[in-house]
Amino acid sequence: MQEHALVGAPPIRRVRGAIYLCYAGEALAFSAVMARIPHIQRSHGLSDQAINVLVALVPVLAVAGGLFAARLNGRAGSGLVLRCAQPVFFAAVVLLGAVPGTGALVASVALYGVAMGVVEAAMNAQAVAIERHAGRSLVNGFFAVWSGASIAGSLWISFANGAGLSLPVGFAVPAAIGLLIAVATVRLPLRKDAERSIAQAAEQRAARRLLEAGERGGVPAVGVPWRPLLVLGAALACAYVAEGAISGFAVKYVRDELGGADTVAPLAITAFAAATVTGRAVADLVVRRRGPAWLIRGGALLAAVGLAAAVLAPAPWVAIAGFAGAGLGLCSVAPGAYAAAARHDPIGQGVAVARVGVFNYLGAVAGTGLVAVLAPVSGYWACYLVAAVLVLVIIPLAGRFAPRPS
């Protein structure tokens, strides 16, 4: 499919660049918020239990946002949804740092969680549409940008904490950057007609390949089936149980259970994030050469080994290396799941991507719950052992990430 076939759409390279920036803006703000959770807790005088409930509330509300986005994407197109949701999301980030009182904080968290679910569902739908237009694996690159920007957001908060910047200022800066990105790219996301044109062309190419192979089939159904999405969602949820447990508690594990120094323990998250960025930067090349199923299957095995190394680690550096292995192994599950989901959306409604995205947040909630249940009884090592077992579940499901036979 040539670029001029996208009637009324900007050049696809400009669209692709705009969506890269949207991923970066969202990740910058999200990581800044997560890195300053202790500051929010102190500012509002919340107990450990109260702040844990608020943090767990975010992915729960994001599920609602993702389901809402599935409907909106199908009716209005993910481009319009993204344009409308981004200002709401960045406004919610500012409110998290500025509102007084617990009630206002809870309301801000609610707005933040729902808006995040909508923004991510719309961005992911745009990314897979761009990939389908190109006819080659590209989605991992968008997630690599997200991971890199999330590291930048964490570094910004580290600077803000060291400089003694207030909570409102610490959140206002990444929110302002994100809002500037939203304004600068407002006309660039693909519109509904362009998304559907891309999807229909992709379906026609697949149909031609089937006919050339001598197979017979009817007209593709317009509806988006739930069954194959549930399989992809299950794999995504297993990955995010592990990722949530690492992102939220790896530092405490290295510091409290392995005796890591305060300067060493944070490297658990840094190693995980850096490995994720590195893996996503090269994953598209691997997919083009070996296929997504091979990458997902091998990555799941590597992640399980990494988590097992963290469980058995006799010293902090072994655990840190294990978390890096887990990041490298899990890095392609989310982009691979979204790309595979898009193949079940024959007219490019963005519905399938939004539905699968819900399992991202369900996995994150399950990961938090896993730690809440097991850590007080057995320690964090038990949580990572269970996460390693769940990651192995991805291996038999990896075949569902592959394109349909051509």
Side-chain angles (χ1 to χ4, degrees):
M1 182 175 181
Q2 302 298 321
E3 287 187 17
H4 59 73
L6 298 180
V7 178
I12 199 69
R13 287 189 177 182
R14 292 181 61 196
V15 175
R16 183 176 170 185
I19 301 304
Y20 277 139
L21 289 174
C22 290
Y23 270 85
E26 194 266 348
L28 189 69
F30 170 78
S31 61
V33 170
M34 296 306 294
R36 240 180 181 191
I37 292 298
H39 199 154
I40 294 176
Q41 181 181 4
R42 291 194 299 270
S43 296
H44 290 270
L46 301 175
S47 65
D48 287 344
Q49 183 178 8
I51 194 64
N52 287 340
V53 169
L54 279 181
V55 171
L57 189 61
V58 171
V60 172
L61 292 165
V63 170
L67 292 173
F68 183 47
R71 288 182 173 272
L72 293 178
N73 287 351
R75 293 180 180 180
S78 62
L80 180 59
V81 173
L82 180 60
R83 288 192 290 269
C84 294
Q86 280 179 305
V88 178
F89 172 74
F90 294 118
V93 171
V94 174
L95 289 175
L96 285 173
V99 294
T102 304
L105 177 63
V106 172
S108 299
V109 169
L111 181 63
Y112 171 80
V114 173
M116 183 177 71
V118 175
V119 167
E120 291 193 349
M123 285 194 311
N124 293 334
Q126 289 280 303
V128 297
I130 293 167
E131 175 175 289
R132 295 182 88 178
H133 176 273
R136 57 195 176 94
S137 180
L138 293 174
V139 174
N140 284 282
F142 292 100
F143 280 79
V145 170
W146 192 98
S147 298
S150 68
I151 295 175
S154 299
L155 292 175
W156 158 249
I157 292 302
S158 177
F159 168 79
N161 288 342
L165 298 182
S166 67
L167 197 59
V169 172
F171 286 170
V173 170
I177 293 172
L179 189 58
L180 285 173
I181 289 173
V183 171
T185 61
V186 68
R187 296 183 179 275
L188 291 175
L190 294 168
R191 294 196 297 269
K192 181 179 180 180
D193 55 349
E195 287 184 89
R196 294 196 169 186
S197 177
I198 289 170
Q200 288 165 358
E203 286 297 310
Q204 290 167 5
R205 290 196 299 269
R208 284 197 298 269
R209 288 195 296 267
L210 289 173
L211 288 172
E212 289 169 1
E215 296 186 30
R216 296 180 179 180
V219 178
V222 173
V224 178
W226 264 106
R227 183 175 295 179
L229 302 184
L230 290 175
V231 176
L232 294 169
L236 186 61
C238 289
Y240 270 88
V241 167
E243 183 163 334
I246 294 170
S247 299
F249 304 97
V251 174
K252 286 181 67 64
Y253 172 58
V254 171
R255 185 184 60 199
D256 297 348
E257 296 188 15
L258 298 179
D262 288 340
T263 55
V264 172
L267 295 178
I269 297 299
T270 304
F272 177 78
T276 300
V277 172
T278 302
R280 286 173 171 170
V282 301
D284 286 320
L285 294 175
V286 178
V287 169
R288 293 169 203 164
R289 294 182 180 182
R290 301 299 298 270
W294 185 91
L295 179 61
I296 298 298
R297 191 175 292 115
L301 182 59
L302 174 60
V305 171
L307 288 166
V311 169
L312 300 173
W317 290 107
V318 178
I320 290 170
F323 290 133
L328 191 61
L330 295 173
C331 69
S332 291
V333 177
Y338 294 131
R343 301 183 192 109
H344 299 284
D345 189 351
I347 60 172
Q349 303 167 89
V351 174
V353 172
R355 286 180 181 175
V356 168
V358 167
F359 290 88
N360 168 345
Y361 305 113
L362 291 176
V365 172
T368 303
L370 176 69
V371 174
V373 172
L374 290 183
V377 178
S378 304
Y380 292 107
W381 68 268
C383 305
Y384 296 122
L385 179 60
V386 174
V389 174
L390 288 175
V391 164
L392 290 173
V393 174
I394 299 172
I395 294 177
L397 303 180
R400 301 300 182 94
F401 287 73
R404 288 169 290 182
S406 58

